[in-house]
Amino acid sequence: MRVFKFGGASVKDADAIKNVVNVLREVGYSDTLVVISAMGKITNAMEKVVESYFNDKDAVQESLQEVVEYHNSILLDLFQNPNHPVYDKVKVLFEEVKGFLAWNKSPKYAFVYDQVVCYGELLSTTIVSAYLNEIGISNTWLDVRTLIKTDSSNRDAQVNWERTQQEVVSKVDISKLNITQGFLGSDDNNFTTTLGREGSDYSAAILAYCLNAESVTIWKDVPGVLNADPRNFENAQLLDQISYREAIELAFYGASVIHPKTLQPLQRKEIPLKVKSFVNPKDKGTTVGKGNGIEPKVPCFIVKKNQVLLKLSSLDFSFIVEDNISEIFKLFHDHRLKVDLIQNSAISFSVCLDNKFRGLPPLLEELKRKFKVVCHEDVSLYTIRHFNDDSVKSLQNGKSVLVEQRGKETVQLVVK
């Protein structure tokens, strides 16, 4: 059994979907489970629907209509018969979204987010599955929410591994081609949950773990794992092999090509992860598995933008000690801010945070009661694994460095 994952870029339009077909035909699709993300930038579009629902009810219909028209244009390109059953299936999915927005009473943003944004994946897999069947590639569409069971932590759900294992083994016929969604799960009440942004890679790893798959392949628009994101750095270089340990380090620091949670279940069963190009599917790509470090061994650059740097000091110039730090970290946890870097001295404490859950304003309110707080928003956190002097200088050039931290293998810079 193999698990393939195709992201939004690989199914962004009719031509892209036809290319997925080419990939499957080139590399084979028997005994395969395919995990598919929402098409193109549809997750962002569905987030806009949620924003409108909370902040501008009059704009909800317009926001949703953009999503409807996007998918309808793809349907028209793929299915010449206007009476094809897929049109009704897609229509039903949109009616479900409208129905939820009409009857929902929950004021919780994260709950509403999960119930609405999930339709991006449900729509993409419905369309791709129908198209594959239409051209003679028989497959089974599976609702991943019946497979991956989680707690009720909306937007960042934790997997119930025991229940998920039971559901996957009982419901997936590994002798067939299966199509399912990434990113999604469901809680004990069968409400939809999501696994965090870019969680489709994690979904593939969860399913591979439960199925004892021989490998997971993530199909992307790059030739494999590069030592830097080519959108932010010039002359990015392909990495041929990466050990699990090294890949987990890169993911921890924010390498966007691999989701931070993806690697742990694969490592436990030593399932190799391959990152390959859907443009050139026969190229070798990158393999993540057992081994030492990376090949070739070159500096690896990672950047996390739109971060927050907080510098805290005591109001009376007393030491920042264990009790203070424990209290501060509890506040970070309560307001769902992820810590990416820490640096402290006797009377000050600096921390770089990811504010994706919008917890910063109430956090600052609480911190200012006990500490002097300096807040720098919209900073960037650069990490270099296996750094050398030239690589560090290339990042410092022309930038204001607010915090620098060095270890044996890693240097981190917070810059404005």
Side-chain angles (χ1 to χ4, degrees), residues 157-274:
Q158 303 302 303
V159 175
N160 181 327
W161 286 93
E162 185 176 345
R163 282 203 59 202
T164 298
Q165 178 80 60
Q166 293 169 355
E167 298 295 342
V168 170
V169 170
S170 66
K171 292 176 179 173
V172 178
D173 183 347
I174 64 173
S175 68
K176 296 181 178 178
L177 171 62
N178 297 277
I179 306 293
T180 196
Q181 307 78 38
F183 186 47
L184 313 180
S186 69
D187 63 17
D188 288 341
N189 295 312
N190 292 323
F191 284 112
T192 303
T193 55
T194 60
L195 305 175
R197 284 301 298 267
E198 312 301 332
S200 292
D201 292 359
Y202 186 36
S203 303
I206 294 166
L207 295 167
Y209 177 91
C210 294
L211 292 166
N212 293 315
E214 71 172 46
S215 64
V216 173
T217 303
I218 299 174
W219 296 96
K220 299 184 73 71
D221 56 357
V222 290
V225 179
L226 305 176
N227 74 322
D229 186 334
R231 294 170 296 185
N232 297 307
F233 300 91
E234 295 180 357
N235 304 317
Q237 188 172 342
L238 178 68
L239 303 176
D240 300 321
Q241 294 185 0
I242 314 175
S243 68
Y244 289 118
R245 182 183 181 87
E246 184 65 36
I248 288 170
E249 291 280 0
L250 293 172
F252 172 80
Y253 289 116
S256 60
V257 76
I258 303 172
H259 189 277
K261 295 178 182 176
T262 299
L263 295 157
Q264 282 98 348
L266 299 180
Q267 184 183 28
R268 287 204 296 271
K269 290 192 176 179
E270 297 186 357
I271 299 169
L273 171 68
K274 301 175 183 180

Side-chain angles (χ1 to χ4, degrees), residues 245-256 258 260 300-305 307 338-341 354 381-386 405-412:
R245 182 183 181 87
E246 184 65 36
I248 288 170
E249 291 280 0
L250 293 172
F252 172 80
Y253 289 116
S256 60
I258 303 172
C300 296
F301 298 83
I302 302 158
V303 60
K304 298 183 79 171
K305 298 182 178 180
Q307 303 291 291
K338 181 179 179 295
V339 176
D340 288 324
L341 177 143
D354 191 327
L381 172 62
Y382 286 90
T383 302
I384 313 174
R385 287 280 293 166
H386 313 295
Q405 190 160 276
R406 294 189 183 220
K408 183 179 179 181
E409 293 278 0
T410 306
V411 63
Q412 291 189 282

